[in-house]
Tab-separated table of all heavy atoms in Angstrom:
chain	number	residue	atom	x	y	z
F	128	VAL	N	-34.231	33.961	35.193
F	128	VAL	CA	-34.863	35.306	35.331
F	128	VAL	C	-36.384	34.952	35.476
F	128	VAL	O	-36.934	34.039	34.982
F	128	VAL	CB	-34.662	36.188	34.089
F	128	VAL	CG1	-35.170	35.524	32.857
F	128	VAL	CG2	-35.192	37.600	34.272
F	129	GLN	N	-37.056	35.826	36.303
F	129	GLN	CA	-38.469	35.602	36.500
F	129	GLN	C	-39.205	36.354	35.385
F	129	GLN	O	-38.855	37.532	34.989
F	129	GLN	CB	-38.921	36.269	37.882
F	129	GLN	CG	-38.307	35.651	39.093
F	129	GLN	CD	-38.689	34.161	39.181
F	129	GLN	OE1	-39.848	33.862	39.195
F	129	GLN	NE2	-37.637	33.353	39.278
F	130	VAL	N	-40.292	35.631	34.851
F	130	VAL	CA	-41.155	36.259	33.791
F	130	VAL	C	-42.614	36.049	34.170
F	130	VAL	O	-42.922	35.161	34.942
F	130	VAL	CB	-40.823	35.576	32.388
F	130	VAL	CG1	-39.365	35.919	31.931
F	130	VAL	CG2	-41.093	34.058	32.472
F	131	THR	N	-43.475	36.962	33.642
F	131	THR	CA	-44.848	36.860	33.886
F	131	THR	C	-45.556	36.547	32.558
F	131	THR	O	-45.301	37.255	31.535
F	131	THR	CB	-45.500	38.149	34.549
F	131	THR	OG1	-44.745	38.343	35.720
F	131	THR	CG2	-46.961	37.897	34.804
F	132	ILE	N	-46.366	35.485	32.520
F	132	ILE	CA	-46.984	35.132	31.265
F	132	ILE	C	-48.515	34.919	31.604
F	132	ILE	O	-48.784	34.281	32.566
F	132	ILE	CB	-46.424	33.776	30.663
F	132	ILE	CG1	-44.856	33.998	30.418
F	132	ILE	CG2	-47.252	33.316	29.398
F	132	ILE	CD1	-44.237	32.753	29.914
F	133	GLY	N	-49.321	35.375	30.625
F	133	GLY	CA	-50.767	35.155	30.856
F	133	GLY	C	-51.687	36.211	30.318
F	133	GLY	O	-51.075	37.108	29.538
F	134	GLN	N	-52.902	36.130	30.481
F	134	GLN	CA	-53.878	37.110	29.759
F	134	GLN	C	-53.577	38.501	30.253
F	134	GLN	O	-53.333	38.723	31.440
F	134	GLN	CB	-55.311	36.740	30.201
F	134	GLN	CG	-55.847	35.558	29.552
F	134	GLN	CD	-57.376	35.221	29.958
F	134	GLN	OE1	-57.744	35.591	31.019
F	134	GLN	NE2	-57.967	34.379	29.116
F	135	GLY	N	-53.542	39.451	29.333
F	135	GLY	CA	-53.306	40.867	29.637
F	135	GLY	C	-51.883	41.241	29.814
F	135	GLY	O	-51.630	42.374	29.851
F	136	VAL	N	-50.938	40.327	29.689
F	136	VAL	CA	-49.474	40.578	29.811
F	136	VAL	C	-49.101	40.967	28.400
F	136	VAL	O	-49.259	40.161	27.476
F	136	VAL	CB	-48.670	39.366	30.300
F	136	VAL	CG1	-47.148	39.762	30.314
F	136	VAL	CG2	-49.145	39.031	31.734
F	137	PRO	N	-48.432	42.182	28.233
F	137	PRO	CA	-47.988	42.531	26.913
F	137	PRO	C	-47.005	41.569	26.279
F	137	PRO	O	-46.182	40.939	27.075
F	137	PRO	CB	-47.268	43.886	27.106
F	137	PRO	CG	-47.776	44.376	28.452
F	137	PRO	CD	-48.117	43.177	29.196
F	138	VAL	N	-47.144	41.415	24.968
F	138	VAL	CA	-46.208	40.463	24.258
F	138	VAL	C	-45.084	41.257	23.514
F	138	VAL	O	-45.370	42.279	23.038
F	138	VAL	CB	-47.057	39.656	23.106
F	138	VAL	CG1	-46.215	38.757	22.360
F	138	VAL	CG2	-48.213	38.860	23.815
F	139	GLY	N	-44.026	40.585	23.522
F	139	GLY	CA	-42.855	41.208	22.748
F	139	GLY	C	-42.192	42.352	23.431
F	139	GLY	O	-41.492	43.135	22.771
F	140	VAL	N	-42.287	42.381	24.717
F	140	VAL	CA	-41.628	43.450	25.517
F	140	VAL	C	-40.480	42.745	26.337
F	140	VAL	O	-40.336	41.560	26.462
F	140	VAL	CB	-42.529	44.244	26.441
F	140	VAL	CG1	-43.582	44.954	25.590
F	140	VAL	CG2	-43.161	43.360	27.483
F	141	GLY	N	-39.512	43.496	26.787
F	141	GLY	CA	-38.515	43.104	27.681
F	141	GLY	C	-37.222	43.505	27.187
F	141	GLY	O	-37.052	43.864	26.094
F	142	GLY	N	-36.292	43.554	28.147
F	142	GLY	CA	-34.922	44.006	27.840
F	142	GLY	C	-33.985	42.872	27.461
F	142	GLY	O	-34.473	41.715	27.357
F	143	PRO	N	-32.812	43.113	27.429
F	143	PRO	CA	-31.746	42.055	27.017
F	143	PRO	C	-31.640	41.056	28.150
F	143	PRO	O	-32.017	41.341	29.252
F	143	PRO	CB	-30.455	42.854	26.801
F	143	PRO	CG	-30.661	44.169	27.557
F	143	PRO	CD	-32.139	44.458	27.600
F	144	ARG	N	-31.002	39.950	27.826
F	144	ARG	CA	-30.890	38.917	28.885
F	144	ARG	C	-30.088	39.369	29.969
F	144	ARG	O	-29.091	40.199	29.819
F	144	ARG	CB	-30.375	37.653	28.179
F	144	ARG	CG	-28.904	37.785	27.759
F	144	ARG	CD	-28.527	36.609	27.016
F	144	ARG	NE	-27.188	36.772	26.416
F	144	ARG	CZ	-26.037	36.265	26.885
F	144	ARG	NH1	-26.181	35.510	27.910
F	144	ARG	NH2	-24.975	36.503	26.311
F	145	PRO	N	-30.246	38.890	31.183
F	145	PRO	CA	-29.439	39.298	32.280
F	145	PRO	C	-28.142	38.594	32.371
F	145	PRO	O	-28.131	37.469	31.957
F	145	PRO	CB	-30.264	39.023	33.526
F	145	PRO	CG	-31.099	37.904	33.101
F	145	PRO	CD	-31.391	38.125	31.572
F	146	GLY	N	-27.090	39.236	32.795
F	146	GLY	CA	-25.779	38.597	32.926
F	146	GLY	C	-25.156	38.147	31.656
F	146	GLY	O	-25.726	38.267	30.546
Side-chain angles (χ1 to χ4, degrees):
V128 63
Q129 296 298 306
V130 297
T131 304
I132 300 173
Q134 287 180 341
V136 176
V138 177
V140 298
R144 67 187 173 104

